[in-house]
Amino acid sequence: MAVTMRDVALHAGVSPKTVSNVMNGYPYIREATRLKVLASIDALGYQMNLSARNLKSGRTGIIGLAVPELSLPYFAELADAVIDAAEEHGLTVMIEQTGADRQRELAALARPRGHLVDGLLFSPLGLGHDDAEHLRVSTPMVLLGERIFHGPVDHVMIDNVTGTRAAVQHLIELGRRRIAVIGTHPGEVVGTAVIRYDAAASAMTEAGLEPLPQLAVPAGPWHRANGAMAMENLLATGEKFDAVLGLNDTLALGAIRVLTKQGIRIPDDVAVVGFDDIDEARYSTPTLTTVDPGRAQIATTAVELLVDRMNGDDSDHREIVAPYELHRRESTLG
C-alpha cells in the first residue's frame, strides 16, 4: 500500500498540514520540525501525489533553494527573485534554511531528495573549498555564493571585487581619505568578507591611501545590530574617519543608526556605502548608496542553468559572474 501524507504525519508526530507546509516550502516552519518531517519522508519513501504530467515525466515540478537564513534581507530578496524566475518555467520552489552551519549544509547535500525536488540551488556559508567534493550529488545543482570556487557544479556569483572597488573609488572621488570598513572576519581565508575587504584595501592602495588596520572593524553575522555594535566600537576608539564601507547593507544601516544618534552628519561628516542594494536601502534615512549585485539576474541565470541540467545538459560546468551597478544615494551625495 502506498505511503500517504497522513502516514508521514503520524511517523513524524505532526499534523498532515505541517507535512504539506514542509513539502511546499512554507518558510515559517521550525527548523527542528522541518528536519523531522523530511526524515520521516525519507524513512517511509513517501512520494508526492503529482499531476498526471509530472507522473509521466517522473518529475515533481519543484526545485530546492538552500540558503543560510531568510532573516538576512539579501537572502529573503534572493528567494523572492528565485521564486519569480522559477515560475517562468512552471516550477515551484521549496526553501530550506541551513543557518550557515557546516553540518546542516552537509546534511542538506547528503539527504536523499530525488523524490522531493528536481534540482537544487545551494548557497552555503559554513562550507569551504575543501568541501567541494560534497557537491557531487545525484540531484542537479547550481551553486551560489563565495564559499567554494571551481567546484564540480555550475556556479553563479556576485562580482564582489569590482563592485567593492567601485564603492571605494566613489568615496575617494568624493575626497574621503580615512575609510573605515565594518564587517570584517579576521582569520577568514575564503568568503565574502575577506573578498570584499581585500578589494577595498586594494582600491585604497591604488589611490595612494593606506588601508588602516584600526579602521577595519570586525562584526559577526551581518545583521543591523552587529553593524551598530561595530560602529559603537569604532567610535569608542577615538579614531578619525570620514567614510564607512559596510560589507553589506544591513551593517551599513546599523552604522547609520549609531552615527545619527551621536549627532554625526551623513554624508557631511561621514559618507556611508553598503553592498547588496536591499529594498530598505531605498527608504532608509538617509537613503543608502550601495552596490547592486544583480540579484534578479543571479536568480534568473541560476534557475536557467538548473533547468538545463534537469533537462539532461551534460556540458562542462560554467562559472558566471553577474554584473553589478553602484547606486549613488543620499548617504554619500547628500
Side-chain angles (χ1 to χ4, degrees):
M1 181 180 297
V3 177
T4 68
M5 188 176 291
R6 186 171 296 277
D7 294 328
V8 174
L10 288 171
H11 187 275
V14 299
S15 70
K17 177 64 175 176
T18 297
V19 175
S20 177
N21 286 340
V22 170
M23 297 292 285
N24 287 288
Y26 187 73
Y28 303 110
I29 298 288
R30 289 179 56 205
E31 182 65 9
T33 300
R34 189 185 60 77
L35 292 175
K36 185 164 57 175
V37 169
L38 290 175
S40 294
I41 288 170
D42 290 335
L44 299 177
Y46 173 64
Q47 298 285 336
M48 293 182 70
N49 183 17
L50 305 174
S51 67
R53 177 180 63 83
N54 286 341
L55 282 171
K56 184 176 181 180
S57 67
R59 293 186 177 181
T60 67
I62 298 173
I63 61 172
L65 172 64
V67 294
E69 54 178 313
L70 293 176
S71 61
L72 281 171
Y74 173 80
F75 291 113
E77 293 179 22
L78 174 65
D80 188 61
V82 167
I83 289 169
D84 287 344
E87 286 179 349
E88 294 294 319
H89 297 271
L91 297 169
T92 299
V93 180
M94 182 169 71
I95 301 172
E96 178 171 358
Q97 295 186 95
T98 60
D101 179 80
R102 182 176 182 275
Q103 292 305 315
R104 286 170 63 180
E105 290 174 353
L106 288 173
L109 291 174
R111 184 181 303 115
R113 56 175 70 242
H115 61 284
L116 290 175
V117 298
D118 300 323
L120 176 65
L121 303 178
F122 183 55
S123 181
L125 277 184
L127 299 183
H129 184 71
D130 291 343
D131 298 304
E133 287 303 306
H134 291 288
L135 302 178
R136 295 187 186 277
V137 295
S138 59
T139 303
M141 181 191 303
V142 174
L143 181 68
L144 305 173
E146 287 71 47
R147 294 294 300 178
I148 301 173
F149 293 95
H150 313 304
V153 296
D154 293 326
H155 187 184
V156 182
M157 64 195 85
I158 293 170
D159 195 346
N160 284 294
V161 173
T162 53
T164 302
R165 288 173 60 85
V168 172
Q169 287 162 1
H170 171 59
L171 293 171
I172 294 171
E173 288 167 2
L174 293 173
R176 309 298 170 143
R177 293 295 179 265
R178 292 180 65 87
I179 302 172
V181 181
I182 61 173
T184 62
H185 291 168
E188 183 176 81
V189 176
V190 62
T192 306
V194 67
I195 293 171
R196 291 182 185 173
Y197 179 77
D198 287 349
S202 174
M204 292 181 213
T205 300
E206 288 186 11
L209 304 179
E210 181 183 358
L212 301 173
Q214 63 268 33
L215 294 183
V217 189
W222 285 355
H223 295 283
R224 295 173 189 81
N226 289 330
M229 184 180 299
M231 180 51 60
E232 289 171 350
N233 292 339
L234 176 58
L235 291 172
T237 68
E239 291 287 343
K240 301 298 182 182
F241 58 97
D242 56 13
V244 173
L245 168 66
L247 293 183
N248 80 342
D249 284 351
T250 49
L251 291 169
L253 291 169
I256 284 175
R257 165 67 178 170
V258 172
L259 289 168
T260 302
K261 187 176 179 180
Q262 293 297 320
I264 297 171
R265 299 171 300 168
I266 304 170
D268 303 65
D269 301 323
V270 175
V272 181
V273 177
F275 199 116
D276 283 343
D277 193 32
I278 62 174
D279 190 58
E280 187 179 351
R282 299 172 180 84
Y283 303 100
S284 61
T285 303
T287 55
L288 179 63
T289 293
T290 181
V291 178
D292 177 354
R295 184 168 45 251
Q297 184 160 345
I298 289 170
T300 299
T301 302
V303 170
E304 289 175 350
L305 287 173
L306 188 61
V307 169
D308 286 346
R309 295 302 183 185
M310 287 158 46
N311 288 335
D313 182 356
D314 62 354
S315 60
D316 291 341
H317 297 117
R318 289 154 286 187
E319 292 190 341
I320 297 176
V321 180
Y324 75 91
E325 183 177 359
L326 178 65
H327 295 300
R328 297 166 175 83
R329 300 192 180 113
E330 295 168 351
S331 66
T332 58
L333 300 180

